[in-house]
Amino acid sequence: MEIPAINLKAIVLVHWLLSIWGCMAWLPYSYSWGNFSVLAIGVWAIAQRDSIDAVLMFLMGMLLTILTDIIHFSIYYPTNDLSIDRGNSVFRFSAGMAILSLLIKPVSCFFVYQMYRERGGDYNVNFGFPSVTRNREAYQSIDQQEESSTTANPFNQQQDVKSGARTY
């Protein structure tokens, strides 16, 4: 099954519009700064079509804003009726658009990851830690054993020149 090609411009435009609408009534400035900073990196990824780093940074920023959006919603969503008029249509619209933006972000991350792979990115993201690769060209087959001196001396020990004298 072929994955549909979604344009990066459409992803940035949809999240920009939902973030604008989400910031109308109740979310703090940190929500705005976080989301719009990541969207600025998305504009950088649009401008440099060959850059793997721009798409990777946009992907990591989107993943990070998923976490920060959840934290913002859990802290700043009003629990009592005294702090904000929850029946207010502006509040309901703003909260709905912010939650819709959060729900769309994992799907957008999937499409941005596909763009990352199309631009030449690897499957695995290397953070500097040693990793196990699946390169099997360096291995020797155990089906065909070579007859050599390594079978007689499996630990590659040096043979003593003097007969009868061993040193440890």
Side-chain angles (χ1 to χ4, degrees):
M1 185 170 144
E2 185 75 19
I3 298 171
I6 302 293
N7 194 356
L8 190 60
K9 293 176 188 176
I11 292 172
V12 170
L13 179 69
V14 166
H15 284 289
W16 176 77
L17 190 61
L18 292 174
S19 295
I20 289 284
W21 286 339
C23 294
M24 286 174 40
W26 61 285
L27 286 169
Y29 291 124
S30 58
Y31 176 84
S32 303
W33 276 103
N35 281 304
F36 293 129
S37 299
V38 170
L39 291 175
I41 296 172
V43 171
W44 173 41
I46 291 170
Q48 291 188 347
R49 295 182 184 262
D50 297 334
S51 176
I52 298 171
D53 293 335
V55 175
L56 180 64
M57 286 182 63
F58 181 57
L59 176 64
M60 293 298 152
M62 289 287 281
L63 291 171
L64 184 66
T65 57
I66 290 172
L67 177 68
T68 59
D69 287 356
I70 292 170
I71 292 170
H72 279 109
F73 295 163
S74 64
I75 292 174
Y76 291 102
Y77 194 82
T79 56
N80 56 8
D81 293 332
L82 300 176
S83 62
I84 195 167
D85 184 19
R86 292 178 71 185
N88 186 1
S89 60
V90 175
F91 170 77
R92 290 187 317 166
F93 178 76
S94 176
M97 294 301 111
I99 291 170
L100 182 63
S101 175
L102 177 63
L103 293 175
I104 291 175
K105 279 184 184 181
V107 176
S108 298
C109 287
F110 174 74
F111 287 119
V112 171
Y113 179 69
Q114 294 300 323
M115 291 174 206
Y116 169 70
R117 287 182 44 209
E118 288 173 4
R119 291 188 185 189
D122 295 339
Y123 282 107
N124 55 354
V125 179
N126 187 7
F127 292 109
F129 300 113
S131 63
V132 178
T133 60
R134 298 194 45 94
N135 184 5
R136 296 177 185 230
E137 295 172 1
Y139 295 120
Q140 292 180 349
S141 175
I142 60 172
D143 294 336
Q144 302 170 351
Q145 292 185 359
E146 297 177 15
E147 295 294 328
S148 64
S149 63
T150 58
T151 58
N153 192 1
F155 299 110
N156 292 331
Q157 296 173 344
Q158 294 180 356
Q159 298 294 327
D160 293 335
V161 184
K162 300 177 187 177
S163 61
R166 290 195 156 191
T167 58
Y168 291 106

